[in-house]
Amino acid sequence: MKTRQKIRRAAAIASTAAFPVTLYYFSPLLSLTGLATGVVTGSLAMFGLLFLASLALGRAFCGWACPAGAVQELVRGFKGRAVNRRGIRWIKWVIWAPWLLGLVLMTVRAGGVHDVNLAWMTWHGVSVTDAAGVIALVSVTVLMGGLALVVGRRAACHAACWMAPFMILGRKLRNLFGWPSLQLAASATDCSSCGACTKSCPMSIEVQSLVVRGRAESSDCILCASCADNCPQGALRLTFRSGH
């Protein structure tokens, strides 16, 4: 395993271990309950930060620091088959759109935002401190890991993640203007069509077909660099640059 992937693996384990602390900072439910009383919670602030970060880093958070994604990758060794991305990725938008509308309605109903409490519903910033927290943690972990086992690699990222749309939209905005960002650079002339990049992709992206076209850009890409680190010809590299 390449050094970069060892670091990513270690980051995945660390983010999973920290999940009992960070759980509520990724909760869509707490964002709703907070705005119902006019309070901006830590989770809502987190979603905003993820959108802003995606303007320069794309979905790198998903590949390097997301605990839900890490849980799925840790079970990949048991069943790592590819998923039909196009068949399931629309589901997350069906989840996200009503939730986003709910945020707006709750804000209007509360008469606007009155307070910012980043530690909302936590104990000194720690999420899981009671039975309800344990149940929530176990439920989310089972959902994420279960989908990965039953459906395939990072299935929950494609179908059930409420955070991904923020970063996908941020990435599309970045691509529209072409300012400097983290991205994969592809060289079609160096590609030997061995398929190692596609096989190693945790998001089941047909990477080789993108390399052949000379542009390794996909809304599902989490910039984990697994494809680049497994390419024997060096046809892919992770870089920070402007343009496409």
Side-chain angles (χ1 to χ4, degrees):
M1 186 183 291
K2 300 288 186 178
T3 300
R4 180 161 53 191
Q5 293 307 308
K6 289 181 179 179
I7 294 173
R8 196 172 78 85
R9 181 81 171 182
I13 294 173
S15 64
T16 303
F19 211 8
V21 176
T22 62
L23 177 65
Y24 289 171
Y25 297 96
F26 303 111
S27 171
L29 180 59
L30 259 64
S31 297
L32 285 170
T33 57
L35 284 179
T37 58
V39 177
V40 172
T41 64
S43 60
L44 189 61
M46 175 64 74
F47 301 146
L49 286 173
L50 289 176
F51 171 76
L52 292 176
S54 71
L55 298 176
L57 301 177
R59 293 182 62 182
F61 169 82
C62 306
W64 292 84
C66 179
V71 168
Q72 296 178 82
E73 288 214 24
L74 291 175
V75 303
R76 182 181 175 184
F78 297 97
K79 194 169 189 178
R81 68 181 181 187
V83 300
N84 177 11
R85 298 181 298 125
R86 294 175 179 84
I88 63 174
R89 62 186 181 188
W90 58 271
I91 300 174
K92 64 177 172 289
W93 294 98
V94 175
I95 297 172
W96 185 76
W99 170 72
L100 190 65
L101 178 60
L103 293 178
V104 175
L105 294 176
M106 288 296 181
T107 303
V108 173
R109 184 177 179 182
V113 173
H114 312 301
D115 190 19
V116 176
N117 185 349
L118 301 183
W120 176 267
M121 296 293 288
T122 70
W123 181 77
H124 300 293
V126 178
S127 300
V128 180
T129 58
D130 56 17
V134 172
I135 292 172
L137 177 64
V138 172
S139 298
V140 171
T141 302
V142 170
L143 174 64
M144 298 297 168
L147 284 173
L149 283 172
V150 175
V151 181
R153 302 178 206 163
R154 280 187 172 248
C157 298
H158 293 294
C161 182
W162 52 92
M163 296 180 284
F166 287 106
M167 290 175 278
I168 291 173
L169 292 176
R171 185 64 169 186
K172 287 184 179 298
L173 184 61
R174 179 270 155 201
N175 288 342
L176 179 64
F177 291 97
W179 56 65
S181 71
L182 187 67
Q183 56 187 290
L184 282 169
S187 171
T189 56
D190 290 329
C191 179
S192 64
S193 298
C194 67
C197 53
T198 296
K199 185 178 179 179
S200 65
C201 178
M203 292 296 284
S204 304
I205 299 171
E206 299 83 1
V207 183
Q208 182 179 304
S209 65
L210 299 178
V211 175
V212 170
R213 293 199 295 267
R215 184 170 180 238
E217 177 68 30
S218 168
S219 61
D220 289 327
C221 180
I222 56 175
L223 296 168
C224 64
S226 292
C227 56
D229 290 337
N230 283 279
C231 177
Q233 304 299 322
L236 285 156
R237 59 189 177 88
L238 194 62
T239 183
F240 197 93
R241 66 178 188 180
S242 58
H244 302 292

